[in-house]
């Protein structure tokens, strides 16, 4: 697989703790948001999405929160595991287009 | 992996030469995308396709062209490669249809180095 040596903000957490990864988006017209996980040497993998008419959505061990007032998105991972170590990206877009804009990513490092 | 393959997986080429990267999918999805990934920039959309012979530009399309003559193949061409095009290139597909979300499935990537 492929990866890039990204100089990213890094979040280090202890295994079993909860993780919160934040993302600020730029376009107030964006109405759809996605979180992706990218493991070393692989392409991004979909985690969870949320539409602008919602402020919270839950998946398995993950929760996404959307605050449209301050254009902020967060991803919460419960009981973080070593397998969660990866780079996490948020992406924003609209329903009418295929153009999604990705953030620069946050590296999550889970310490055993 | 949603049946997406990219070829080649690695390529080194010289400045000024043309380069074509291929993305192949096996599930007849309508929407296909090309992104590049660089340190500090995340993923940036180069071009996308919404059907055979239907393509549109993304945010960093200069110096790139695409073609889609068959549903399963989406080609990205660097007309005259430059060092600034050294990057990792990802292809993605998006399933469409009733109830589909907008999630995209990504291929494994191609590392291109322009010397």
């Amino acid at each position: 697989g492929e990866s890039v040596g990204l100089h990213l903000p890094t979040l280090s957490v202890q295994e079993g703790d909860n993780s919160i990864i934040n993302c600020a988006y730029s376009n107030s017209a964006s109405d759809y948001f996605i979180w992706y996980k990218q493991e070393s040497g692989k392409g991004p993998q979909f985690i969870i999405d949320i539409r602008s008419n919602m402020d919270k959505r839950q998946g398995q061990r993950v929760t996404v929160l959307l605050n449209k007032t301050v254009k902020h998105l967060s991803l919460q991972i419960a009981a973080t595991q070593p397998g969660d170590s990866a780079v996490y990206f948020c992406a924003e877009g609209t329903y009418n287009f295929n153009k999604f804009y990705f953030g620069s990513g946050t590296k999550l490092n889970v310490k055993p | 992996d949603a049946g997406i393959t990219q070829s080649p997986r690695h390529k080194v080429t010289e400045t000024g030469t043309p380069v074509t990267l291929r993305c192949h999918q096996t599930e007849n999805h309508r929407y296909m995308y090309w992104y590049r990934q660089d340190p500090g920039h995340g993923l940036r959309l180069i071009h996308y396709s919404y059907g055979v012979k239907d393509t549109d530009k993304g945010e960093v399309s200069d110096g790139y062209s695409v073609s889609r003559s068959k549903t399963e193949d989406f080609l990205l061409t660097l007309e005259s490669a430059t060092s600034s095009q050294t990057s990792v290139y990802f292809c993605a597909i998006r399933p469409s249809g009733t109830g589909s979300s907008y999630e995209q499935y990504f291929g494994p990537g191609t590392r291109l180095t322009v010397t």
Side-chain angles (χ1 to χ4, degrees), chain B residues 55-77:
Chain B
T55 65
D56 202 355
K57 296 179 179 180
E59 63 179 311
V60 290
S61 59
D62 288 348
Y64 301 95
S65 62
V66 289
S67 66
R68 191 157 178 213
S69 58
K70 299 184 290 184
T71 299
E72 58 266 35
D73 289 323
F74 192 31
L75 304 180
L76 176 70
T77 297

Side-chain angles (χ1 to χ4, degrees), chain B residues 20-73:
Chain B
T20 296
L21 308 183
R22 179 181 183 237
C23 178
H24 178 79
Q25 56 141 332
T26 59
E27 298 182 7
N28 292 321
H29 295 300
R30 178 181 174 190
Y31 298 97
M32 298 184 76
Y33 308 81
W34 276 109
Y35 290 89
R36 60 178 289 174
Q37 186 173 38
D38 305 289
H41 288 281
L43 287 140
R44 291 182 291 175
L45 180 65
I46 305 171
H47 282 277
Y48 68 96
S49 170
Y50 46 97
V52 173
K53 294 188 168 56
D54 291 324
T55 65
D56 202 355
K57 296 179 179 180
E59 63 179 311
V60 290
S61 59
D62 288 348
Y64 301 95
S65 62
V66 289
S67 66
R68 191 157 178 213
S69 58
K70 299 184 290 184
T71 299
E72 58 266 35
D73 289 323

Side-chain angles (χ1 to χ4, degrees), chain A residues 1-6 32 34 36 38 41-44 46 49 51 89 94-95 97-104, chain B residues 9-10 31 33 35 37-40 42-43 45 48 57 59 88 90 94 101-104 106-111:
Chain A
E2 295 300 328
S3 65
V4 282
L6 299 167
Y32 183 74
I34 310 176
Y36 285 94
Q38 186 175 26
K42 297 183 179 180
F46 172 85
D49 59 358
R51 304 189 177 197
F89 295 96
T94 68
Y95 293 124
F97 303 98
N98 281 283
K99 299 180 181 179
F100 286 89
Y101 298 93
F102 285 73
S104 55
Chain B
R9 296 295 316 281
H10 298 85
Y31 298 97
Y33 308 81
Y35 290 89
Q37 186 173 38
D38 305 289
L43 287 140
L45 180 65
Y48 68 96
K57 296 179 179 180
E59 63 179 311
V88 180
F90 286 99
R94 176 169 74 81
S101 69
Y102 281 65
E103 64 188 89
Q104 297 178 10
F106 287 82
T110 294
R111 180 176 292 276

